Amino acid sequence: MDRAHWRSAAVDLAVGLRAMFGRHAWLVQAFGSHLFHGPGKARYDDHCLALHEAAGFAPADADRIAAAVFTHVLGAALGDAAEVSLDRRLRRDGRDPQERLDATMARAVEVAREFPRLRARLDGPEALDYAAAPGAEFEEALRALLDGLAARLGGGLDAQR
């Protein structure tokens, strides 16, 4: 792995993991109640460590980066899985889940407007879409995480993008 491209490779790996969790939403919740091991997981873990070590990180730092990225992916995937689960639950009685979600979000906005900082974000020039899922922020936050870890752990690695 080329040191200059480790971040984009790390982002691609994390995006792929999140996509896999999206295809298997049950797996995200299973992490809270099952121990996982096996050749597939070991291969993925080894690949992550190799990627970060090839970028110049010491083994212990590669472990920290891999763990931090996995935690970030798992957190995002948990939100995705929760949406799938909520949609299924809202469909059970045959009613339109989007209609129910819209009504709930409208009530949530009413409540939020009672609080000054939330009201400013809802009514300001860059109005917050209170119902929007934080999808695009995943990669931006992932890049910030990698940048911060590189700066903190890798010295000169923070200048390489």
Side-chain angles (χ1 to χ4, degrees):
M1 163 60 27
D2 178 346
R3 283 178 72 141
H5 297 98
W6 78 272
R7 278 188 185 88
S8 61
V11 168
D12 289 347
L13 198 58
V15 167
L17 180 62
R18 184 179 182 196
M20 186 274 299
F21 281 139
R23 290 187 304 275
H24 308 285
W26 61 269
L27 187 56
V28 177
Q29 295 177 348
F31 269 96
S33 57
H34 293 79
L35 298 172
F36 287 91
H37 64 89
K41 182 176 182 321
R43 185 179 313 105
Y44 178 85
D45 292 346
D46 191 70
H47 183 71
C48 288
L49 296 175
L51 171 73
H52 300 307
E53 287 176 7
F57 291 102
D61 291 338
D63 292 348
R64 288 182 189 95
I65 293 170
V69 170
F70 181 79
T71 301
H72 177 70
V73 171
L74 191 60
L78 182 59
D80 298 339
E83 274 187 49
V84 170
S85 178
L86 178 62
D87 185 66
R88 284 184 187 143
R89 191 175 65 74
L90 292 176
R91 287 180 186 278
R92 283 186 190 152
D93 64 4
R95 292 174 41 199
D96 180 10
Q98 190 60 50
E99 186 178 294
R100 295 175 76 181
L101 183 61
D102 291 346
T104 300
M105 293 313 298
R107 287 191 302 275
V109 167
E110 289 175 26
V111 170
R113 282 205 165 91
E114 296 177 22
F115 297 87
R117 287 170 191 81
L118 295 176
R119 183 175 48 253
R121 284 164 177 80
L122 289 166
D123 298 335
E126 295 181 24
L128 173 70
D129 183 357
Y130 207 62
E137 292 82 11
F138 170 76
E139 283 191 43
E140 184 177 330
L142 177 60
R143 291 179 200 287
L145 173 66
L146 291 170
D147 289 348
L149 289 166
R152 182 171 166 240
L153 301 174
L157 290 174
D158 61 325
Q160 300 172 0
R161 288 192 179 254

